[in-house]
Amino acid sequence: MKKFFALFLSLMMLFACTAFAETTIDMSAPTFEVGEDSAEYEVDGASGWNVVTAYVKIAAGDDVIFNGPVTVTSDNLTVAEFTLAAIYEVGCGQEGLEAGFVTSIGDYVSGTDADGNYVYWANSVNGKYVPHTCTDMKVLEGYYINWDFVAYNADAGLETTAVLPCGYAAPFEVGEDETEYEVDGASGWNVANINMKITAGEDVIFNGVVTLTSDTLSVAEATLAAIYEVGCGQEGLEAGFVTSIGEYVAGTDADGNYVYWANSVNGKYVPFSCDQLRLLDGDYVQWDFVTYAAE
């Protein structure tokens, strides 16, 4: 078992190096052509508040097991849940999804093939390497989840493609601010460049790139790094619900309207607290101080 996880971690690090290679990415192109399969799945005990449709493709070479939209009702909306929904739909078996490390889907089982190569299931989200387990990585509306049964050869390396299009348009123009931040106790395995913009109307508090070293790569950690850089205060980030950044405090303004901090990731609504959503390299995080009026 120890040898398996050592090999797994080595493969993931090598895949990370491959995925992070300098590549020109078409931000708005879909990661893959979506097929005609479809599935709907409601997790037992789900509150019903969070319903998201993502695109899932599961393939072993030319054998496409599933390709199409998957709608999941869940309080967690993890990659594992979307993948499980697709697998339930086609009626094939799997092992490892609930634990976060897939060892088999259908007839394709991780291990050594006839040529002595190690074969395994690898997943990407929006065309990007995922340094999280599939039970930890959450999914937003319109995300692309791609599972491939790939081979590793000690001489040839990983049989993977270059970084793929991410499937969404860049939601803002990235400014010139920049900072680096390493979370206390981080292993150093996970490093991501996050595009971060924090604004209150015309007041741009931070707009630029945060280089984050963290085992979790959460929205909260990336945001805290930006706030540390500009030297303004904040409240609520550690708890996942921001009540103030700088002099902008959630509450009722002079006109009786409720004002608050709202965030989006890759231009999409986030139905989680900011300490729960994990980021991938090149993601976009935007915070706006907005007004809610009952009318």
Side-chain angles (χ1 to χ4, degrees), residues 128-274:
K128 299 176 182 181
Y129 163 70
V130 180
H132 315 294
T133 65
C134 59
T135 52
D136 286 330
M137 184 66 195
K138 296 180 183 291
V139 174
L140 301 180
E141 181 71 25
Y143 270 23
Y144 288 77
I145 302 168
N146 198 4
W147 286 92
D148 290 299
F149 194 61
V150 297
Y152 173 78
N153 180 290
D155 297 321
L158 288 169
E159 294 181 3
T160 58
T161 58
V163 178
L164 299 171
C166 65
Y168 55 81
F172 58 84
E173 183 176 347
V174 181
E176 297 182 356
D177 294 330
E178 59 181 6
T179 188
E180 296 183 8
Y181 180 63
E182 181 170 345
V183 174
D184 288 342
S187 65
W189 288 86
N190 298 339
V191 183
N193 292 314
I194 307 302
N195 302 301
M196 173 74 61
K197 186 175 184 181
I198 306 172
T199 59
E202 299 296 324
D203 186 2
V204 180
I205 297 172
F206 184 97
N207 185 6
V209 178
V210 174
T211 300
L212 178 64
T213 301
S214 165
D215 293 338
T216 52
L217 297 174
S218 71
V219 171
E221 292 167 338
T223 307
L224 198 60
I227 290 172
Y228 281 160
E229 177 64 21
V230 296
C232 68
Q234 63 80 26
E235 290 185 359
L237 266 173
E238 292 84 351
F241 298 95
V242 175
T243 54
S244 72
I245 297 176
E247 62 188 55
Y248 301 96
V249 182
T252 305
D253 66 12
D255 298 321
N257 299 316
Y258 184 70
V259 290
Y260 62 99
W261 283 100
N263 82 94
S264 62
V265 173
N266 299 325
K268 301 174 186 292
Y269 167 70
V270 179
F272 312 109
S273 62
C274 61

Side-chain angles (χ1 to χ4, degrees), residues 50-54 70-74 77 82 139-143 271:
N50 298 338
V51 183
V52 162
T53 298
V70 175
T71 300
V72 169
T73 302
S74 167
L77 297 173
F82 282 85
V139 174
L140 301 180
E141 181 71 25
Y143 270 23

